[in-house]
Amino acid sequence: MELIYLDHAATTPLSARALAAMQPYLTAQYGNADSRYSLGRTASLAVLSARDKILSLIGGSGGNLYFTSCGSEANSWALKGVCAANFGKKSRIILSAIEHPSLLRAAEDMAVFGFETELVYPDSLGIVRPEAVEMALNRGGAAFVGVMYANNETGVIQPAREIYSLCRTAGAFYFCDCVQAAGSLPLKCDFADGISISAHKFYGPKGVGALWLKKGTKIARLISGGQQESGLRGGTTNVAGIAGMAEALASSCEDMQAEGERVRAIRDSFVSQVLTLVPGARLVGDSANRLPSNANIAFPGCRGEEIMFALDRLGLCVSTGSACSSGASKPSSVLLAMGLSEEEAASCVRFTFGRENTAEHTSIAARAVAEVVEKIKSK
Ligand code: PLP
């Protein structure tokens, strides 16, 4: 049975180019990037060149790039670190209700220090309207505003540029989680004061991400004791991971347009086949402002989880809710925030397409979905 992987928003396979870029630093060039002899300097040069490459790919010359272990770390550090640096000055946090838990839970952690969080809800299409953010900003000075670039569950793209402009007027720091967008959408770091990326979402290795911050941003140190990452995040540098991330991002950016069009076409074909074959099925979230890879479909009368397990038995990998919360069987908070009922939210399945998928996969997958849904409904 051929495995058909339709869960690229959860993670992506490591590309051959990224693996090749990592290989030397996993083998012969194993030096510590902080060692001063040549083995160490080779590692250090690889990190330097990866940092430059990523900064140029994300148009980030107006800021600094800090390597982290993942997107969650970059998000949580940004929120806690920027709030801590504002301690005693501003005590409000504004987040969209559809942010990743690494931001939502980090904001909850800051409550003990007196920070209050206001959530801004999206409309029924999954878009966080700039006017809604403006209303929250008008209620008082915020230390941190977080609205992501593209949502992990619906793929819906947010009006980041407009939100940034409102935050600038209000003098608030604007952070944009770009974990789902990086590698799929062109990024130029002029639409936020800070962004996060994660290598395993764009065919790079797991265990490495980055936080970009505009020059002049004040942020509290995350890991004390080491001079790595400008003394803000100590710890021996993940040289191979960083080299792999830079190469993966470069290759995603090279292919972005052509691959985006190809993936969009197979995703659209899949959606139209499913909506034709499965009565009552509907696409959730805005269909135009959406990552080319994502289709989140509601199957009224079924539980998404049941569909996911039945598809797994047929060799198809799909997901319900986000990967990080898929262990829990509560309906997705993102879908509830968009106004779906608990029952409808629990009926949703997320299909996310990527490099290895072909048009043939979409027909096999659409037929399998129709078969599975019919079986569940006839029980
Ligand atoms: N932000 C978004 C939008 C995500 O989709 C994810 C992961 O799914 C993360 C952050 C966390 O990234 P990581 O898995 O690298 O911790």
Side-chain angles (χ1 to χ4, degrees):
M1 184 169 64
E2 187 199 0
L3 186 86
I4 301 183
Y5 185 73
L6 302 178
D7 201 14
H8 292 80
T11 196
T12 54
L14 184 68
S15 73
R17 261 177 72 173
L19 177 62
M22 296 170 73
Q23 208 103 43
Y25 308 101
L26 293 168
T27 52
Q29 301 298 337
Y30 53 83
N32 184 322
D34 294 308
S35 300
R36 295 166 65 192
Y37 39 77
S38 65
L39 194 67
R41 289 201 306 274
T42 303
S44 165
L45 269 178
V47 175
L48 200 69
S49 124
R51 207 184 300 274
D52 281 351
K53 193 186 243 178
I54 296 172
L55 274 169
S56 127
L57 291 167
I58 63 172
S61 59
N64 297 313
L65 190 74
Y66 303 101
F67 292 119
T68 62
S69 69
C70 59
S72 298
E73 181 188 320
N75 283 354
S76 287
W77 178 23
L79 186 142
K80 293 182 177 183
V82 168
C83 286
N86 270 282
F87 190 72
K89 290 177 232 144
K90 293 175 179 171
S91 60
R92 293 181 74 238
I93 297 169
I94 298 172
L95 289 181
S96 89
I98 59 168
E99 291 309 294
H100 189 263
S102 52
L103 281 166
L104 292 167
R105 301 288 93 77
E108 286 171 14
D109 293 346
M110 295 309 284
V112 287
F113 302 108
F115 285 88
E116 276 174 24
T117 301
E118 176 168 351
L119 293 183
V120 177
Y121 282 79
D123 63 13
S124 59
L125 294 175
I127 300 174
V128 179
R129 297 286 166 193
E131 310 84 72
V133 177
E134 190 172 24
M135 277 163 66
L137 285 166
N138 288 342
R139 283 190 272 274
F144 187 97
V145 178
V147 181
M148 60 183 18
Y149 201 113
N151 183 262
N152 42 310
E153 297 195 36
T154 60
V156 172
I157 298 167
Q158 306 299 325
R161 208 167 277 285
E162 287 95 313
I163 293 171
Y164 185 37
S165 155
L166 294 167
C167 290
R168 286 175 74 145
T169 307
F173 174 88
Y174 172 53
F175 180 75
C176 190
D177 171 344
C178 293
V179 167
Q180 289 291 333
S184 291
L185 299 177
L187 291 182
K188 188 168 185 315
C189 288
D190 58 357
F191 58 88
D193 295 312
I195 77 159
S196 54
I197 62 171
S198 177
H200 75 105
K201 305 289 188 183
F202 46 83
Y203 306 91
K206 292 169 184 58
V208 58
L211 171 64
W212 174 87
L213 293 174
K214 196 172 160 178
K215 280 198 179 112
T217 300
K218 293 200 169 38
I219 187 159
R221 185 190 350 258
L222 179 67
I223 302 177
S224 315
Q227 79 293 359
Q228 294 88 357
E229 305 306 312
S230 309
L232 293 172
R233 184 196 184 271
T236 302
T237 307
N238 176 3
V239 182
I242 289 166
M245 174 159 69
E247 191 60 27
L249 191 59
S251 106
S252 296
C253 290
E254 280 163 27
D255 285 355
M256 195 175 282
Q257 180 135 11
E259 182 59 9
E261 280 165 22
R262 191 191 72 84
V263 168
R264 187 187 303 280
I266 60 173
R267 186 270 319 266
D268 287 349
S269 149
F270 171 78
V271 172
S272 80
Q273 290 179 64
V274 170
L275 300 194
T276 308
L277 293 170
V278 184
R282 80 164 180 102
L283 183 70
V284 173
D286 192 281
S287 57
N289 295 310
R290 189 185 195 107
L291 291 175
S293 53
N294 181 297
N296 194 318
I297 302 180
F299 297 96
C302 295
R303 282 190 63 79
E305 218 170 45
E306 208 176 338
I307 298 174
M308 177 189 79
F309 287 123
L311 290 175
D312 183 32
R313 288 191 286 277
L314 299 175
L316 273 88
C317 305
V318 301
S319 103
T320 59
S322 70
C324 319
S325 61
S326 57
S329 55
K330 282 203 287 193
S332 144
S333 59
V334 170
L335 302 177
L336 295 178
M338 288 165 60
L340 272 73
S341 68
E342 290 220 351
E343 201 183 338
E344 198 178 12
S347 81
C348 290
V349 179
R350 179 185 74 180
F351 306 87
T352 45
F353 295 83
R355 273 187 199 162
E356 340 74 68
N357 296 138
T358 61
E360 200 197 347
H361 287 162
T362 67
S363 317
I364 300 171
R367 280 199 304 274
V369 169
E371 216 174 89
V372 157
V373 170
E374 201 181 308
K375 250 192 215 153
I376 294 174
K377 281 189 176 163
S378 64
K379 271 207 274 188

